[in-house]
Structures are given as C-alpha cells and as structure tokens.
Amino acid sequence: MSSIRTVRTGNVFEETLSHLLRAISLGQYMVGEKLPAERELAESLGVSRATLRDVLHELQETGVLDIKRGRYGGAFVIGLPADHELHRPIDESELNDALQFRAVLDAAAARLAAEAPLTGEQRRHLREACDACDTAEPGQYRQLDSRFHLAIAELTGIPSLHKATAEVRDRVNAMLDRIPMITTNLAHSNEQHHTILDAVMGGDPMAAETAALEHAHGTAALLVGYLKGS
C-alpha cells in the first residue's frame, strides 16, 4: 500500500477519493483487480469504514469500480479515472496554477470580507447565495457555487479581486466539468460554505480564511485525483 498516503486534512472524503484514484491511475490496482478488503483499506488510509464506503459508492457510480456482494465479492476496478476526461489531456502546470491561484484568492476574499463592516442587505444576499447551493439541482450547482464565492469577493470592495475570482472560477469550473458530479462532495462543499458564511458573518477573519482554504483544497483533491493521476 506504499502509493496510498494516510488522509490528514479536513476534506476526508475528497482526499480519500483522490488517493484511491491516484493508486488506480498509477497501476497499483489494475483494471480487473480487486481492491483490498474494506477494513484493511480503511486502516491503510486512516479513515473510517463509513467514509470509505461513501468513496467506494461514488467510484462505483462514476464507473471506476464495480462492487459485488457475497462470498466472492468486493470492489473491482473496471475503469480508469482518465476515461472520464471530455477534452484534451489536462496540462499539469495549468491545473496547478488554477488551483493554487483559486486558493489564494478565496482565502484572501474570505478574510477581507470577515473584516468588512457588512450591511443588513449584504448579509442577506450572502446568506441567500449560500442557501441556494443547498437545494441546487446538479445542473445548476456550478453556477450557484460560483455566485456564492463571487458574493464573498464582492464584499471586499476590491473590483480587481472580484474580477480575478470570476476568471479563476471559470477556469476551475471548466476542469470540474471534465469529471463526474460527486454527490457526497457537493454535500461536503455545502457544509463548508456554511462554515465560511458563519465566519464571515461573525467577523472572524482567521476562521474565514482557514475555512476557505480547506474548501479550496477539497476541490483540488478531487481534480488532481481525476485529472492528474500522479
């Protein structure tokens, strides 16, 4: 299990998914092979079996694994992460640049927004943008997710920051469109949205920055797992 690292961040689901996709991409588990037993795999990753089951379920839904029950059952690799790419192979420098720049911008925007004196109307708008993600249909999620983060950037009162945030989100969304929609990740993202919201509303810059960074790292883990594979 040398290719799989223990999960250490707050984005447990995303990091676990990324590690397994990486192991499959690198040939640690070939198509047709069976993954280790659930208990062994969970222990090697340092995650709960419940988290691992969620990850295995999503990989089954997206055509990477086939999970069979019974005495001779288990999780079998039936596809590669690269099978889900819709366009040209991802440029690694482009991927890293977009993800790192997104993390820098989102963290700065959340911190500055938490420092800003917010009006009642600004608070209402931000909360509505956050709540809209909770009930979004899959086809609308990317747009509403972007609207929430752009609302935070707007609160900074820095037009250039808002513009840069819009541009980098367009780049990241284009990459997200190349991987399956992961429902568990969406639920986790919404939880993180509310953590960011509470920190901004509560005027806690450090908590807002930390929450925004953790949120960005979760997205990065998914994209790296599906698109980079190394």
Side-chain angles (χ1 to χ4, degrees):
M1 303 294 291
S2 58
S3 297
I4 296 186
R5 298 167 294 168
T6 301
V7 174
R8 298 184 185 278
T9 76
N11 300 290
V12 179
F13 172 84
E14 291 85 354
E15 290 288 345
T16 304
L17 184 65
S18 179
H19 292 342
L20 280 179
L21 286 169
R22 182 177 187 274
I24 293 169
S25 294
L26 292 176
Q28 183 174 352
Y29 306 118
M30 302 295 291
V31 172
E33 291 183 349
K34 180 181 176 180
L35 297 185
E38 186 179 281
R39 183 185 300 276
E40 177 187 347
L41 194 54
E43 289 179 355
S44 70
L45 288 164
V47 300
S48 69
R49 293 178 72 177
T51 294
L52 179 61
R53 289 191 193 106
D54 286 341
V55 169
L56 296 179
H57 173 73
E58 291 298 340
L59 291 177
Q60 180 182 37
E61 290 294 306
T62 55
V64 175
L65 297 179
D66 179 29
I67 299 177
K68 300 178 180 179
R69 304 299 177 186
R71 182 177 179 182
Y72 300 104
F76 295 83
V77 179
I78 60 172
L80 297 175
D83 293 342
H84 297 286
E85 295 185 21
L86 302 179
H87 307 292
R88 62 176 172 78
I90 193 73
D91 180 90
E92 187 172 326
S93 62
E94 177 186 352
L95 175 65
N96 291 336
D97 180 80
L99 295 178
Q100 292 172 15
F101 192 38
R102 181 257 173 111
V104 169
L105 290 176
D106 281 6
R111 174 172 51 79
L112 292 170
E115 293 173 350
L118 304 182
T119 67
E121 176 60 23
Q122 287 174 321
R123 290 173 177 273
R124 182 191 64 77
H125 176 67
L126 185 59
R127 183 169 294 281
E128 287 181 352
C130 183
D131 290 343
C133 295
D134 295 339
T135 56
E137 296 294 330
Q140 298 178 312
Y141 190 84
R142 301 263 193 267
Q143 291 174 299
L144 295 174
D145 177 52
S146 296
R147 183 181 295 178
F148 171 66
H149 288 283
L150 288 171
I152 293 175
E154 188 173 12
L155 292 177
T156 69
I158 306 174
S160 294
L161 178 58
H162 184 270
K163 179 181 179 181
T165 299
E167 290 173 348
V168 79
R169 289 209 64 84
D170 186 55
R171 292 169 63 193
V172 172
N173 283 347
M175 295 175 183
L176 286 168
D177 285 342
R178 298 169 63 167
I179 70 173
M181 188 74 77
I182 308 296
T183 55
T184 304
N185 167 253
L186 299 187
H188 189 203
S189 291
N190 290 336
E191 292 175 3
Q192 292 179 323
H193 284 169
H194 283 280
T195 300
I196 297 169
L197 174 71
D198 291 344
V200 170
M201 296 283 219
D204 190 335
M206 290 299 295
E209 181 178 40
T210 299
L213 277 174
E214 183 173 301
H215 182 52
H217 291 160
T219 301
L222 281 183
L223 284 169
V224 168
Y226 270 104
L227 298 181
K228 188 174 176 182
S230 61

